Amino acid sequence: MMFQETQRFREFAAPPAFVLDGSTEADVAKALIESKQQTEPFYIFDMDEAYRHIQRFKQSIPRAQVFFAMKANHSEMMLKLAIAMGVGFDCASPGEINKILNFGVDPTSIIYAVPNKTPEQMIYARISGVKHTTFNTACELYKIKQYWPDAKLLIRIKVESESVYKLGEKFGCLFETEAVGLLETAAGLGLTVIGVAFHVGSGCSSIESYAVGIRHARALFDHEAKAGRHMKILDIGGGFYREESNKFDQVSKLITDTLAQLFPDPSVQVIAEPGRYLCEAAFSLYCSINKVQTVMRNNKPLNKVYMNDGHNGTFRYLETWQSVYKFNDTRRSKEDLEDTILYGPSPDSKDYLEVKLPRCTDQDWLVFDMQGSYTLVFSGRFAGYEIPLIRPIISKKIWAQIKDRAIFSASDFIVYPDLAEPLPSTLPPLPPYPGRSEYPHLVLAD
Ligand SMILES: *Cc1c(COP(=O)(O)O)cnc(C)c1O
């Protein structure tokens, strides 16, 4: 018998959401950790939090329709919640298009917002029924002419900004010197440019950037109108900080005012592509500690903490606004903080993060807040480590509002959950591996 193990690392079915009647995320985490049944790292996805952020976004910029940038977090319940709330999707690849269409989303609710696409990717999108995409060079226009001539195009312009992750070097044409020429090239090729798009960069703190983008878009709308071509969509992109930073209030007001002033015509469709804003605050990660070692560095104690997720797992970045603390540490005082290196499990010397924490033991768990965006999606399975599973939770109140939406089925929720129920193990199954002694083989001394 040939032993067949052709599958790649496993995909795990998304665990259902616990419907909570009065209990909180902290109660769920406590029950789970104190049961000692949950040993692997896990995420808790607070669906109420994502629900609230989606609502808040819609209310704060009522003129803009929401197209969730799913690259920020494409976990199943996050996508289902977004679908249930009637948002559209900003997809970055055929993989994302395929994933969201498999949920039954209509392809006309998708914008394929990445400007650089290969011919195969364009053909994939076109055959899938996606109609809208972006461009920012002439080279792309010639390819679009050949492979996706009926696409509805948005010209992506570059907007300078102060952002944690700037995108301007890679994407966007220059408004002053390139945009008009590109619009003329597109018209010459007989392509339809339906609008203007910009993205100020992720985690954008220069609020004025959005107004600059909208002003430049207005000028391009006017240029096209003069040439007898009419654009219909303004895409103000993503980049929104979560609302706790106060910046969101200022940004949404400025955008709303600028739109009222420059785009009073309600027949222009305004769309936004928030990613980080909708999901970041809704996910927390819980990691257990496996080993602790204290050494001296510069005459100060340095704690080396080995935990069960890390840089090569779901921690690509530790942002300044994210926090880490010891689970069940009610004091949370600043005084006993020590220099700490958090090592991930993998055998890679770069798999670490530097933080400040009180001294820990191998019985402790660590909690990382604000882990909902650009975490799970960046995660790798380097050296065979699996990605933590997610336990969604939802309050009875929000559940009652959304449970009957078509995207959900009863099995998505557990109404009277046992809070201590562990998530499934991600360890591989133990099949009967058939040794083949006729292979030339090495044997370790025993
Ligand atoms: C990544 C991306 C977004 C989302 O950005 P956030 O900073 O997460 O809001 C929106 N639009 C485009 C085109 C993107 O590439």
Side-chain angles (χ1 to χ4, degrees):
M1 183 197 81
M2 267 301 281
F3 174 60
Q4 290 197 337
E5 174 59 322
T6 52
Q7 67 188 358
R8 310 197 348 195
F9 289 106
R10 292 184 296 161
E11 288 298 332
F12 294 87
F18 283 175
V19 179
L20 302 183
D21 194 0
S23 5
T24 63
E25 168 171 346
D27 297 331
V28 174
K30 193 166 180 331
L32 207 51
I33 290 172
E34 290 182 353
S35 76
K36 309 258 185 212
Q37 300 299 305
Q38 177 71 33
T39 53
E40 298 182 4
F42 61 95
Y43 276 82
I44 293 186
F45 168 29
D46 182 350
M47 294 176 73
D48 285 35
E49 191 79 16
Y51 177 94
R52 207 169 55 77
H53 277 78
I54 295 172
Q55 291 288 49
R56 185 68 212 286
F57 194 97
K58 289 182 178 173
Q59 286 158 4
S60 305
I61 313 180
R63 181 71 196 280
Q65 295 173 335
V66 176
F67 283 67
F68 174 46
M70 64 183 279
K71 74 173 187 289
N73 185 321
H74 58 216
S75 62
E76 184 166 326
M77 281 301 243
M78 181 68 213
L79 294 179
K80 285 187 172 180
L81 180 67
I83 293 167
M85 295 181 71
V87 313
F89 292 89
D90 161 4
C91 293
S93 64
E96 289 192 347
I97 291 170
N98 173 265
K99 181 157 189 157
I100 204 68
L101 291 180
N102 273 327
F103 282 106
V105 167
D106 195 273
T108 53
S109 309
I110 294 174
I111 174 164
Y112 189 176
V114 166
N116 57 330
K117 295 170 288 287
T118 62
E120 313 82 83
Q121 290 163 344
M122 292 185 199
I123 293 165
Y124 187 95
R126 177 168 56 77
I127 294 174
S128 299
V130 176
K131 301 218 171 335
H132 295 80
T133 191
T134 63
F135 71 96
N136 55 207
T137 58
C139 181
E140 286 151 12
L141 287 173
Y142 299 125
K143 286 215 175 89
I144 291 167
K145 172 76 188 168
Q146 197 174 349
Y147 299 104
W148 196 359
D150 55 347
K152 309 280 186 214
L153 303 174
L154 288 86
I155 182 169
R156 168 103 173 242
I157 55 172
K158 172 173 164 170
V159 175
E160 295 295 347
S161 71
E162 285 306 316
S163 295
V164 183
Y165 299 103
K166 292 189 199 291
L167 294 166
E169 280 305 308
K170 186 163 177 187
F171 300 113
C173 66
L174 296 174
F175 165 74
E176 286 82 6
T177 54
E178 295 172 339
V180 165
L182 285 174
L183 290 173
E184 293 305 325
T185 304
L189 290 168
L191 299 171
T192 306
V193 181
I194 197 148
V196 181
F198 61 84
H199 188 322
V200 296
S202 200
C204 177
S205 57
S206 48
I207 291 166
E208 183 59 23
S209 302
Y210 289 93
V212 171
I214 296 168
R215 272 202 297 280
H216 289 174
R218 179 71 258 169
L220 297 179
F221 268 68
D222 291 344
H223 169 87
E224 287 294 272
K226 261 194 226 127
R229 304 184 289 257
H230 289 280
M231 297 206 284
K232 295 180 186 158
I233 301 175
L234 167 60
D235 173 0
I236 63 171
F240 304 92
Y241 261 121
R242 70 197 180 283
E243 68 186 72
E244 291 75 7
S245 70
N246 271 335
K247 288 252 159 69
F248 185 69
D249 280 339
Q250 297 170 37
V251 133
S252 54
K253 181 164 187 329
L254 177 71
I255 290 173
T256 300
D257 293 349
T258 312
L259 288 172
Q261 196 195 342
L262 298 180
F263 286 89
D265 176 0
S267 72
V268 174
Q269 182 181 25
V270 179
I271 68 171
E273 301 164 343
R276 180 185 297 284
Y277 178 84
L278 301 189
C279 51
E280 181 163 63
F283 288 68
S284 305
L285 171 63
Y286 296 77
C287 292
S288 72
I289 294 175
N290 201 24
K291 181 166 83 173
V292 181
Q293 186 188 11
T294 300
V295 298
M296 294 304 283
R297 185 174 71 177
N298 305 330
N299 293 323
K300 279 197 303 188
L302 169 68
N303 302 314
K304 296 181 164 186
V305 171
Y306 295 75
M307 55 176 202
N308 56 3
D309 191 18
H311 177 83
N312 291 336
T314 65
F315 271 106
R316 187 65 177 272
Y317 311 105
L318 192 63
E319 315 282 8
T320 50
W321 56 86
Q322 295 166 332
S323 58
V324 52
Y325 53 93
K326 249 161 79 169
F327 176 71
N328 247 351
D329 181 7
T330 44
R331 289 169 304 136
R332 293 239 217 142
S333 82
K334 285 224 153 63
E335 278 135 47
D336 50 4
L337 295 182
E338 294 182 336
D339 291 342
T340 305
I341 298 182
L342 296 177
Y343 285 110
S346 76
D348 164 19
S349 60
K350 292 224 170 70
D351 183 1
Y352 72 89
L353 307 158
E354 294 213 40
V355 299
K356 299 254 187 219
L357 271 175
R359 205 167 284 195
C360 300
T361 75
D362 65 358
Q363 300 304 305
D364 284 322
W365 283 71
L366 298 175
V367 188
F368 300 82
D369 279 339
M370 314 289 299
Q371 289 288 327
S373 61
Y374 306 111
T375 52
L376 287 150
V377 289
F378 269 122
S379 60
R381 284 158 164 159
F382 171 65
Y385 292 88
E386 281 297 345
I387 297 161
L389 296 181
I390 305 167
R391 168 65 69 202
I393 57 172
I394 187 166
S395 68
K396 205 160 192 179
K397 186 164 162 236
I398 303 290
W399 169 74
Q401 287 178 35
I402 63 165
K403 70 182 171 65
D404 296 324
R405 309 268 163 97
I407 184 67
F408 290 119
S409 60
S411 63
D412 284 324
F413 302 100
I414 299 182
V415 184
Y416 295 103
D418 166 9
L419 300 191
E421 183 192 322
L423 289 154
S425 166
T426 65
L427 281 181
L430 284 168
Y433 293 103
R436 292 275 292 262
S437 61
E438 72 265 32
Y439 294 160
H441 65 295
L442 297 176
V443 178
L444 290 163
D446 58 11

